[in-house]
Amino acid sequence: MDDSLLGGAHKIVIVGGGAAGLELASALGKKARKDASIEVTLVDASPTHIWKPLLHEVAAGTLDTTEELEYLSQARWRYFNFRLGTMERLDREKKEIVLSPTLNDEGEELIPRRSFSYDTLVIAVGSVSNSFAIQGVEKHCQFLDNARQAFRFQKHLVQTFMRIYSRRPSRGKGMSIAIIGAGATGVELAAELHNVMQQLAIYGLDEHQTGEAVKISLIEAADRLLPALPDRLSGATARQLGELGIELILGRRVVEVTETGVMIEGGEKVTADIKVWAAGIKGPDWLCNLDGLEINSAQQLMVAETLQTTRDENIFAIGDCAACAWVGHEGNVPPRAQAAHQQATLLSKSLVDRVKGEALMPYRYKDYGSLVSLGKYSTVGNLMGNLMGSVSVGGFIARVFYLSLYKMHQIKVHGYFKTAMLTLATRLRKTATSHIKLH
Ligand SMILES: Cc1cc2nc3c(=O)[nH]c(=O)nc-3n(C[C@H](O)[C@H](O)[C@H](O)COP(=O)(O)OP(=O)(O)OC[C@H]3O[C@@H](n4cnc5c(N)ncnc54)[C@H](O)[C@@H]3O)c2cc1C
């Protein structure tokens, strides 16, 4: 039996309520309701949650607002405590985390700096874009690391659109967007933005005419897009994007981003009104100095197969911020929602077992394949199974599997009934409102 029980419930603090942390807090909270030996607290920098793989839809303005969840309401519904704040420091000896003061939009302090003690700490703070120190990226690019950035991007998109098409004659030079990085995020964003540009014209925003070109360029250092997927699928996706008129610049490295465009090796410039960076991720910078916890070169916390950090058995890390060996493969478990989901599922069992003095179970990543949504145009990907190996899928079947990953997250967080009701509500709203955000 754990010592902490002598002084009351064992305090499990989870920092980061994303794909991994929110699922874990919801599952553990449900258990804590019946088991007084554990108390669960979730800390997040934001008061609301949007599942990160939907951020390209937030950025494009196509996401329904019912997909946003309030942590406080979820905490009440799933019996955990929620604390708003950004973790900035860790004291392993005192077993305490420190949160920065929370400010309002005017910069006034709402909540002072405060600390919370833990018996078990789970760090699930996700990842941020890796600019690889390329000049001009931080200053001139848009990022999709969190919902705040995605909403800001959406506003910038509509405002840039209005500015350009209200000033240029309708047959003049149109708007241009460059997306750097043709992994799943870049490809999904390109397709979604293409759809949105058509919609903005249909809704009659300023003088933009349907069919008038908004130039979207997708720039990738590897010689094909979707490098993580089989050749055949990246070929099919390239053809589909080509048919939409999206320019693909493959096998070319970006060397600088300026206010007016993207410089690629060889001296060529891709002119762009909007530049988006989607070329790789790393752990947030503050993890580099977290009271001696070990990190890898991508600033992710190194964890053992039990998901415990290598230098502190009371601290776990899951999701994108964790570097966990992919047993039987080279390298680490990839930073994906399905890995975050699996790790949260494992810890929701093993953390409770650990409080009861039982041994921790090892984590084994199961790759069920990768699916990429091309918005309303198509979905492509490959599915993995024990018997069938890797099977390429597209169209309706791929769409169903793509949506099922999000439904699994929703079911874990809300349960079956509420997920069904939310799905219905989203469908009904779509019949009564515009399909995109127009402001
Ligand atoms: C546009 C896009 C599309 C994607 N599509 C797919 C896909 O189709 N399939 C797939 O498998 N994966 C996809 N991914 C990757 C997937 O979103 C991530 O792998 C997954 O969200 C990781 O989960 P996480 O819990 O580690 O981090 P996140 O979901 O990012 O959650 C991190 C949480 O930590 C909070 N936080 C951060 N810092 C602090 C702090 N200092 N203090 C307190 N709280 C903090 C954040 O507010 C956030 O709530 C996509 C990613 C993007 C950006």
Side-chain angles (χ1 to χ4, degrees):
M1 187 76 63
D2 194 279
D3 287 350
S4 65
L5 290 181
L6 300 173
H10 181 102
K11 283 184 263 179
I12 300 176
V13 174
I14 302 161
V15 183
L22 181 60
E23 291 192 12
L24 179 61
S26 301
L28 284 176
K30 220 169 136 194
K31 290 183 180 171
R33 189 191 181 197
K34 295 183 190 140
D35 180 353
S37 68
I38 55 168
E39 182 193 305
V40 183
T41 300
L42 175 68
V43 174
D44 201 283
S46 163
T48 59
H49 161 83
I50 293 178
W51 194 56
K52 197 171 181 181
L54 297 176
L55 287 188
H56 66 286
E57 294 184 29
V58 175
T62 50
L63 188 78
D64 191 278
T65 47
T66 49
E67 310 295 352
E68 192 168 9
L69 168 153
E70 291 190 7
Y71 286 116
L72 275 175
S73 137
Q74 180 67 11
R76 187 172 143 72
W77 160 257
R78 281 293 191 226
Y79 313 100
F80 59 83
N81 308 307
F82 174 69
R83 300 290 175 256
L84 178 66
T86 302
M87 179 174 165
E88 62 175 19
R89 215 151 29 85
L90 168 70
D91 187 328
R92 292 204 276 141
E93 206 175 302
K94 286 195 195 155
K95 289 187 153 187
E96 239 177 45
I97 59 163
V98 180
L99 309 187
S100 335
T102 302
L103 312 177
N104 66 11
D105 291 344
E106 285 72 45
E108 293 156 353
E109 186 176 286
L110 293 179
I111 309 172
R113 176 171 282 107
R114 52 187 177 159
S115 52
F116 293 97
S117 62
Y118 63 83
D119 295 305
T120 297
L121 176 66
V122 182
I123 302 178
V125 293
S127 55
V128 295
S129 297
N130 194 344
S131 64
F132 301 100
I134 293 170
Q135 205 179 337
V137 172
E138 299 287 346
K139 186 163 178 208
H140 300 293
C141 284
Q142 304 281 325
F143 299 92
L144 293 187
D145 291 340
N146 53 49
R148 196 170 24 84
Q149 289 178 349
F151 280 118
R152 202 167 52 211
F153 176 97
Q154 192 272 335
K155 211 169 209 155
H156 181 57
L157 181 74
V158 173
Q159 289 177 356
T160 307
F161 188 95
M162 284 186 196
R163 188 163 39 79
I164 289 175
Y165 289 103
S166 60
R167 286 182 194 163
R168 291 174 185 170
S170 56
R171 269 174 281 111
K173 189 171 157 293
M175 179 169 149
S176 52
I177 303 171
I179 301 168
I180 302 126
T185 305
V187 166
E188 290 186 346
L189 182 65
E192 202 67 38
L193 287 180
H194 182 274
N195 169 30
V196 163
M197 289 300 134
Q198 304 291 311
Q199 298 266 335
L200 287 178
I202 290 165
Y203 281 104
L205 199 72
D206 285 306
E207 295 165 36
H208 180 55
Q209 302 298 310
T210 311
E212 186 182 334
V214 169
K215 186 178 160 225
I216 300 177
S217 308
L218 195 50
I219 308 167
E220 167 62 50
D223 57 4
R224 64 187 182 93
L225 46 78
L226 298 172
L229 289 185
D231 261 352
R232 207 183 70 76
L233 283 170
S234 66
T237 309
R239 276 192 297 283
Q240 182 108 36
L241 294 183
E243 279 164 27
L244 297 177
I246 294 171
E247 179 188 33
L248 300 179
I249 302 170
L250 303 174
R252 308 282 294 280
R253 217 166 270 283
V254 168
V255 290
E256 188 184 349
V257 180
T258 66
E259 199 180 341
T260 53
V262 179
M263 306 298 302
I264 45 185
E265 59 186 354
E268 193 183 331
K269 180 174 179 180
V270 179
T271 306
D273 299 301
I274 294 181
K275 285 81 57 187
V276 192
W277 190 260
I281 59 122
K282 62 176 184 175
D285 292 343
W286 60 276
L287 292 185
C288 297
N289 216 354
L290 208 54
D291 204 6
L293 292 183
E294 190 183 8
I295 52 164
N296 67 3
S297 57
Q299 301 182 178
Q300 295 163 302
L301 294 166
M302 303 284 291
V303 295
E305 60 176 12
T306 53
L307 303 175
Q308 284 161 303
T309 52
T310 46
R311 292 185 185 151
D312 194 322
E313 61 174 20
N314 295 314
I315 303 179
F316 293 70
I318 55 175
D320 284 5
C321 71
C324 176
W326 186 356
V327 177
H329 288 75
E330 258 178 47
N332 288 331
V333 171
R336 290 203 196 138
Q338 58 170 309
H341 170 77
Q342 291 170 18
Q343 292 173 346
T345 304
L346 180 88
L347 282 198
S348 68
K349 297 187 190 99
S350 61
L351 289 187
V352 178
D353 290 349
R354 181 168 180 260
V355 173
K356 295 192 175 112
E358 289 168 27
L360 287 169
M361 288 174 277
Y363 171 61
R364 297 279 179 265
Y365 175 58
K366 281 202 193 79
D367 185 8
Y368 291 107
S370 302
L371 293 154
V372 178
S373 164
L374 303 180
K376 68 170 192 174
Y377 305 112
S378 175
T379 303
V380 295
N382 68 324
L383 298 175
M384 309 284 284
N386 291 340
L387 296 175
M388 60 185 183
S390 168
V391 176
S392 299
V393 286
F396 179 71
I397 294 181
R399 186 81 199 146
V400 168
F401 278 101
Y402 180 83
L403 292 175
S404 69
L405 186 61
Y406 181 43
K407 289 298 149 202
M408 264 155 43
H409 173 70
Q410 284 188 306
I411 288 166
K412 202 85 191 172
V413 169
H414 300 299
Y416 285 95
F417 180 72
K418 203 168 161 194
T419 300
M421 290 298 111
L422 284 170
T423 308
L424 185 63
T426 306
R427 287 247 149 255
L428 290 174
R429 266 180 61 86
K430 278 190 176 162
T431 60
T433 59
S434 67
H435 289 194
I436 56 166
K437 195 161 179 276
L438 295 164
H439 60 279

